[in-house]
Amino acid sequence: MGPAPAGEQLCGAIVEPEVMEPALEGTGKERKKASSRKRTLAEPPAKGLLQPVKLSRAELYKEPTNEELNHLRETEILFHSSLLRLQVEELLKEVRLSEKKKDRIDAFLREVNQRVVRVPSVPETELTDQAWLPAGVRVPLHQVPYAVKGCFRFLPPAQVTVVGSYLLGTCIRPDINVDVALTMPREILQDKDGLNQRYFRKRALYLAHLAHHLAQDPLFGSVCFSYTNGCHLKPSLLLRPRGKDERLVTVRLHPCPPPDFFRLCRLLPTKNNVRSAWYRGQSPAGDGSPEPPTPHYNTWVLQDTALESHLQLLSTMLGSAQGLKDGVALLKVWLRQRELDKGQGGFTGFLVSMLVVFLVSTRKIHTTMSGYQVLRSVLQFLATTDLTVNGISLCLSSDPSLPALADFHQAFSVVFLDSSGHLNLCADVTASTYHQVQYEARLSMTLLDSRADDGFHLLLMTPKPMIRAFDHVLHLHPLSRLQAACHRLKLWPELQDNGGDYVSAALGPLTTLLEQGLGTRLKLLAHSRPPVPEWGISQDPPKHKDSGTLTLGLLLRPEGLTSVLELGPEADQPEAAKFRQFWGFRSELRRFQDGAIREAVVWEAASMSQKRLIPHQVVTHLLALHTDIPETCVHYVGGPLDALIQGLKEASSTKGRMVMSRGGELVMVPNVEAILEDFAVLGEGLVQTVEARSERWTV
């Protein structure tokens, strides 16, 4: 007989319990359990529920494939553990942009392109004749001094190009910014536009006209201005979509000249392109003295000419190497958690992308490496390479007309040249910022080598703002006091180079002054400048004093921190005059036990808590003496727990002891319960103090 049809088998299975039911013995509960169990077996599985995979014995115990063996071997060698690999992969999934959002962003970019090229033209006028601008828009640039030669006319951009991390696939959430380069036609520019901010004035007027017309379009929910990397000479126009996608993306428009418009030989770091007579409003000196070089001004012009070439270089190196892109994304998260990429002069994601390109070109990173390997390699390079002493270059040309690295070291604190050999990518990065990056890279490498269980969370998931990273923190406010500091320190060339930005001009000499004064007490000094907020197109651009507060962080050495004596040279040495000039009235002659008579500075500190705050006295004294910044403008945060600890000590002197009878005598013994209670209060105070001075950032 053959097998029964499916319908007959199904009927037999349903009737079978009725035949077997009289033979069942036991309680009613057992009958109910049996019937429910059989009913469960008969019912088909619910949709959407995962069912166990049935594997044969051969499939369960088959040998691993070569791919699985390589995966296990790579995990063991590169990630130390499977858990770390899973954590890295999950983090990359969280920060990557989904394909659905990419499609919506691409559609928005196409709409932006169509509207930008349709903006109407404006006839030619003088640069100082800005009556053609509508009343509802302001020029996003401080035009000081106002008088400048040249003409301007608006024409639609000759080319609209998406540049930056979005096109490369290395942008990370939550803030997605898409940079768009607008190549201005040659008819707008003139040969000498590199002089006296003429190019930057035309660039700002170009943006103002665009902003007026795009703000009237219903496609955009927000149209405003912002500074490019904090540079007040280079504003950009920010566009956001209207409706539910308003927080999806921010498109930043950057006007730029044609790639070969400016002659590179005129923009070397040793050249001057801001004339002293024009900037200071004085007649030129007749003594034949040379003009001071303007390396930062020249660099800002070169940055606009190299947008497309940098994109091509990054696309060539990172285009098909997913591991390199993952490494860049991890490095951006690492920088963001430590707030190293914020504000002007930050170590941005663009810099780490170019650093990956440099390491690939020097064969220290291979294109087949994983993202974790790239992260380790870059951190190892940063931890062991001091770009303030030995700069690096992506330029492979041996042309003798190219400037030497020594010329860039003389003009900039940190040197990293691009493939042209003319542009320093780290021109805005100060030595203090780079040393902070080096210090954090060394800590991260130590953490990775230790194979700690919480290494991933400490490295990439834990925010580390300045208040957590440094022992003492001081805030300088208001920033207008730095303008007087520039006059006191006679920083006229720096002001001329930075276009009047007295905060940037005074920052380098200020940190050098404090590093010299703190001496061996100081391990690391870093600074932080908050990003300048966006502003509406009908508002004037923010002034330098409106950029918030300048914050300085001091990481101190325990050795010598509590010393009250600054020992200087002997009185008859030539260095004694410099010592007296540096410390001012604090310096005095003292005779020591060995019979030597030396210059010395003695700080007032009686208790240990006062000795720990000697850096406060040093900082306020030097700032008032050399920069005319009074103590009232220095908000110093150091030793905030001393008052709490002192209060607990005073309370414990009475509450921490109790009287007991021993051998017929009354004796004072420690009250353990009271001491434990004091420690609990201290712990709560520590947590509250840290949380009050920190902020959380989640991926």
Side-chain angles (χ1 to χ4, degrees):
M1 294 176 64
E8 295 181 6
Q9 290 180 353
L10 183 60
C11 293
I14 295 175
V15 176
E16 186 177 359
E18 298 180 357
V19 177
M20 295 180 62
E21 191 172 2
L24 291 175
E25 297 180 357
T27 62
K29 292 183 179 180
E30 294 175 349
R31 285 196 298 271
K32 290 181 180 178
K33 291 181 180 179
S35 62
S36 63
R37 185 164 56 249
K38 293 177 181 179
R39 187 163 54 250
T40 303
L41 293 174
E43 293 177 355
K47 293 183 178 180
L49 295 178
L50 294 176
Q51 300 299 319
V53 180
K54 294 182 179 180
L55 299 175
S56 64
R57 185 177 182 84
E59 291 175 332
L60 282 173
Y61 296 99
K62 69 177 181 180
E63 296 182 356
T65 62
N66 289 334
E67 183 180 355
E68 292 172 340
L69 287 175
N70 290 334
H71 189 275
L72 293 173
R73 190 180 300 110
E74 181 181 334
T75 300
E76 181 182 1
I77 296 175
L78 304 179
F79 291 89
H80 305 319
S81 67
S82 299
L83 176 61
L84 179 58
R85 180 164 195 161
L86 289 173
Q87 289 171 325
V88 171
E89 291 175 352
E90 288 299 318
L91 174 62
L92 289 173
K93 290 179 183 178
E94 288 295 323
V95 300
R96 284 198 193 107
L97 197 60
S98 65
E99 293 298 328
K100 291 183 179 179
K101 291 185 177 180
K102 285 183 181 179
D103 295 339
R104 289 152 58 189
I105 292 174
D106 291 341
F108 181 66
L109 289 174
R110 287 191 291 269
E111 296 290 338
V112 171
N113 185 17
Q114 294 175 6
R115 284 157 173 78
V116 166
V117 297
R118 292 202 301 260
V119 175
S121 303
V122 172
E124 184 174 276
T125 60
E126 294 290 331
L127 270 176
T128 54
D129 181 12
Q130 300 172 6
W132 57 272
L133 278 174
V137 64
R138 298 294 183 92
V139 180
L141 180 70
H142 291 292
Q143 304 180 72
V144 180
Y146 186 78
V148 65
K149 297 180 181 179
C151 300
F152 174 77
R153 59 182 299 195
F154 182 90
L155 294 174
Q159 185 176 354
V160 180
T161 309
V162 178
V163 296
S165 59
Y166 175 75
L167 205 60
L168 299 170
T170 58
C171 60
I172 63 172
R173 299 167 54 200
D175 299 324
I176 302 299
N177 299 310
V178 180
D179 296 303
V180 178
L182 308 179
T183 304
M184 295 185 291
R186 290 180 177 270
E187 293 82 1
I188 297 177
L189 304 174
Q190 297 169 317
D191 291 338
K192 294 186 177 181
D193 278 351
L195 289 174
N196 299 338
Q197 302 181 9
R198 297 180 194 176
Y199 163 71
F200 294 116
R201 303 284 176 94
K202 293 185 177 183
R203 190 180 182 278
L205 291 171
Y206 199 88
L207 283 178
H209 184 68
L210 279 173
H212 170 67
H213 288 274
L214 296 181
Q216 302 174 10
D217 197 299
L219 175 68
F220 305 109
S222 172
V223 178
C224 57
F225 292 120
S226 177
Y227 288 140
T228 303
N229 295 327
C231 177
H232 72 285
L233 287 179
K234 294 178 61 176
S236 57
L237 185 62
L238 307 186
L239 306 176
R240 295 185 179 92
R242 184 182 297 276
K244 63 179 182 179
D245 289 341
E246 184 176 2
R247 298 185 178 181
L248 173 66
V249 65
T250 300
V251 176
R252 302 186 293 198
L253 303 184
H254 305 275
C256 61
D260 56 346
F261 180 80
F262 290 107
R263 294 177 58 186
L264 296 180
C265 61
R266 293 183 179 178
L267 298 173
L268 297 178
T270 56
K271 297 294 184 179
N272 173 276
N273 283 291
V274 180
R275 302 295 187 252
S276 301
W278 172 80
Y279 181 74
R280 302 185 189 180
Q282 301 173 354
S283 58
D287 55 359
S289 58
E291 291 278 357
T294 54
H296 290 89
Y297 177 93
N298 301 345
T299 298
W300 294 332
V301 177
L302 283 172
Q303 287 172 351
D304 284 358
T305 65
L307 290 176
E308 294 186 25
S309 62
H310 290 164
L311 174 65
Q312 294 173 0
L313 177 62
L314 288 169
S315 179
T316 302
M317 290 292 187
L318 309 180
S320 59
Q322 186 60 41
L324 299 183
K325 295 181 181 180
D326 293 344
V328 171
L330 292 175
L331 286 165
K332 288 184 177 181
V333 174
W334 182 81
L335 290 172
R336 180 176 293 179
Q337 294 288 48
R338 287 152 183 80
E339 299 183 354
L340 296 173
D341 58 341
K342 287 188 176 182
Q344 184 177 3
F347 206 82
T348 61
F350 169 72
L351 289 180
V352 295
S353 301
M354 297 298 285
L355 192 57
V356 169
V357 170
F358 171 78
L359 294 179
V360 171
S361 64
T362 55
R363 299 183 180 180
K364 295 181 180 180
I365 288 180
H366 197 269
T367 55
T368 59
M369 284 185 173
S370 65
Y372 178 75
Q373 285 178 292
V374 174
L375 174 67
R376 285 188 61 101
S377 300
V378 174
L379 291 180
Q380 178 66 25
F381 177 82
L382 289 172
T384 56
T385 307
D386 191 356
L387 298 184
T388 63
V389 179
N390 299 312
I392 56 177
S393 175
L394 284 166
C395 182
L396 303 178
S397 175
S398 57
D399 188 355
S401 63
L402 290 174
L405 278 175
D407 297 333
F408 288 94
H409 275 293
Q410 188 175 1
F412 303 104
S413 301
V414 187
V415 177
F416 178 18
L417 304 186
D418 73 339
S419 55
S420 69
H422 289 82
L423 173 59
N424 181 18
L425 301 174
C426 292
D428 295 330
V429 181
T430 63
S432 300
T433 299
Y434 185 76
H435 289 153
Q436 184 185 4
V437 172
Q438 272 196 303
Y439 175 75
E440 292 293 343
R442 285 193 290 266
L443 289 182
S444 300
M445 287 304 301
T446 303
L447 182 64
L448 291 175
D449 294 337
S450 67
R451 304 191 180 189
D453 294 336
D454 58 347
F456 172 80
H457 290 277
L458 295 175
L459 184 69
L460 296 172
M461 298 296 292
T462 304
K464 193 178 180 182
M466 183 167 284
I467 194 67
R468 291 185 181 179
F470 293 89
D471 299 317
H472 293 180
V473 175
L474 60 109
H475 308 279
L476 297 182
H477 185 80
L479 290 181
S480 57
R481 299 298 307 184
L482 293 178
Q483 189 172 13
C486 290
H487 291 278
R488 178 65 184 273
L489 297 172
K490 299 180 180 180
L491 301 177
W492 300 112
E494 287 79 2
L495 285 171
Q496 189 171 327
D497 185 22
N498 289 275
D501 184 0
Y502 48 80
V503 181
S504 298
L507 189 56
L510 196 69
T511 54
T512 303
L513 175 70
L514 297 182
E515 287 174 351
Q516 182 180 353
L518 292 169
T520 57
R521 290 186 173 90
L522 185 67
K523 184 176 183 179
L524 178 66
L525 186 147
H527 59 81
S528 174
R529 295 181 61 181
V532 180
E534 306 165 3
W535 69 95
I537 63 173
S538 61
Q539 300 174 343
D540 290 323
K543 298 181 179 179
H544 307 302
K545 64 179 181 180
D546 299 331
S547 59
T549 301
L550 176 61
T551 304
L552 301 176
L554 308 179
L555 191 63
L556 304 171
R557 300 180 186 273
E559 306 86 5
L561 174 62
T562 58
S563 175
V564 297
L565 179 66
E566 300 285 346
L567 190 61
E570 294 185 359
D572 56 349
Q573 296 294 326
E575 294 83 5
K578 295 181 180 179
F579 187 88
R580 288 191 299 269
Q581 182 182 6
F582 182 78
W583 290 108
F585 66 90
R586 280 280 188 177
S587 178
E588 56 186 5
L589 282 176
R590 284 182 172 262
R591 184 183 184 90
F592 294 88
Q593 293 181 354
D594 59 355
I597 301 176
R598 293 175 173 270
E599 295 284 346
V601 176
V602 179
W603 305 104
E604 297 84 2
S607 63
M608 185 57 66
S609 61
Q610 293 177 351
K611 291 180 179 179
R612 287 194 293 267
L613 289 177
I614 287 179
H616 184 195
Q617 299 184 48
V618 175
V619 168
T620 54
H621 171 70
L622 292 178
L623 290 180
L625 179 64
H626 293 282
T627 64
D628 289 339
I629 299 178
E631 187 175 357
T632 55
C633 297
V634 181
H635 305 275
Y636 199 93
V637 181
L641 302 179
D642 287 341
L644 178 62
I645 296 174
Q646 187 64 27
L648 291 177
K649 286 182 178 180
E650 295 175 356
S652 298
S653 64
T654 57
K655 188 176 69 173
R657 298 181 183 181
M658 63 181 180
V659 180
M660 291 188 64
S661 176
R662 286 185 179 178
E665 296 182 358
L666 297 178
V667 295
M668 296 288 292
V669 296
N671 187 349
V672 178
E673 294 182 359
I675 294 174
L676 293 177
E677 183 181 348
D678 285 349
F679 273 108
V681 174
L682 176 61
E684 294 176 0
L686 288 171
V687 172
Q688 293 175 1
T689 303
V690 172
E691 290 183 349
R693 291 174 169 83
S694 61
E695 60 181 358
R696 296 185 179 275
W697 184 89
T698 56
V699 178

